[in-house]
């Protein structure tokens, strides 16, 4: 297995904008790094766990996931829109800090099963980086470890960036504008993923598609 290439791939995927990172940046700004830590651990664990399970049952899951993809896409994008609405509520002027809670450890784990970006990343790892001659159990443990130790520091950067913005966005109005912008971006990401997946499904159904 090309471990170096896998780590580079994971780092790029972890550092680029996506639903997890938008949520962590907003949480770091609104709740601080300490209260965001359970979400950081949950997201890192959830991504690693999903990758390990997909690696472990790659041959059995591939046909099933192909049939479930439309439903998973709808559920995932719907949940992203819900999170965007929560983020917008957190930014409403006059809202109280305890009205909108930061994502929990278990919330971070479960969210990965509805996150289209995580599904794409986990499936790509199985198809591109999994050695054919490696036992499935050994591969699952190895991928879990590599994904977790790479994801945790990379996504922490986004939570830290949110904390760093606290000094700049030090008024309720500025906080409201930031949270509204992040909520709009997250909602736009959900709609883009939905349209992209629907377009891909329609193209795949055409008679001349390969």
């Amino acid at each position: 297995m090309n471990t170096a290439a896998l780590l580079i791939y994971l780092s790029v995927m972890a550092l680029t904008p996506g639903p997890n990172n938008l949520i962590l940046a907003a949480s770091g700004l609104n709740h601080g790094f300490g209260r965001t830590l359970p979400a950081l651990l949950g997201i890192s664990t959830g991504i690693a766990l999903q990758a390990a399970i997909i690696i472990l049952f790659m041959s059995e899951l591939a046909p099933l996931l192909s049939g479930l993809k439309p439903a998973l896409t709808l559920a995932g994008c719907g949940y992203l829109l819900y999170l965007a609405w929560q983020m917008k509520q957190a930014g409403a002027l006059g809202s109280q800090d305890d009205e909108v809670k930061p994502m929990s450890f278990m919330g971070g784990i479960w969210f990965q099963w509805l996150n289209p970006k995580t599904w794409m990343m986990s499936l790509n790892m199985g198809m591109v980086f999994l050695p054919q001659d490696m036992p499935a159990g050994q591969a699952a443990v190895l991928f879990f470890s590599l994904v977790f130790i790479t994801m945790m520091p990379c996504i922490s950067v986004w939570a830290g960036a949110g904390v760093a913005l606290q000094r700049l966005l030090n008024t309720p109005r500025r906080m409201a504008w930031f949270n509204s912008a992040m909520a709009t971006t997250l909602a736009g990401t959900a709609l883009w993923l939905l349209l992209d997946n629907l377009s891909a499904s329609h193209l795949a159904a055409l008679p001349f598609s390969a």
Side-chain angles (χ1 to χ4, degrees), residues 14-88:
L15 288 168
T16 50
N20 284 322
N21 290 335
L22 293 175
I23 291 167
L24 290 172
S27 181
L29 173 67
N30 289 286
H31 306 294
F33 194 87
R35 295 184 67 191
T36 304
L37 189 57
L40 280 167
L41 290 169
I43 288 171
S44 300
T45 303
I47 296 173
L49 185 61
Q50 186 191 79
I53 291 173
I54 288 177
I55 294 298
L56 189 60
F57 300 104
M58 190 73 187
S59 58
E60 292 84 358
L61 282 175
L64 176 63
L65 291 176
S66 177
L68 290 177
K69 185 179 179 182
L72 290 171
T73 299
L74 286 173
C77 292
Y79 189 61
L80 288 178
L81 291 173
Y82 167 72
L83 289 175
W85 178 80
Q86 278 203 318
M87 199 178 291
K88 179 68 171 64

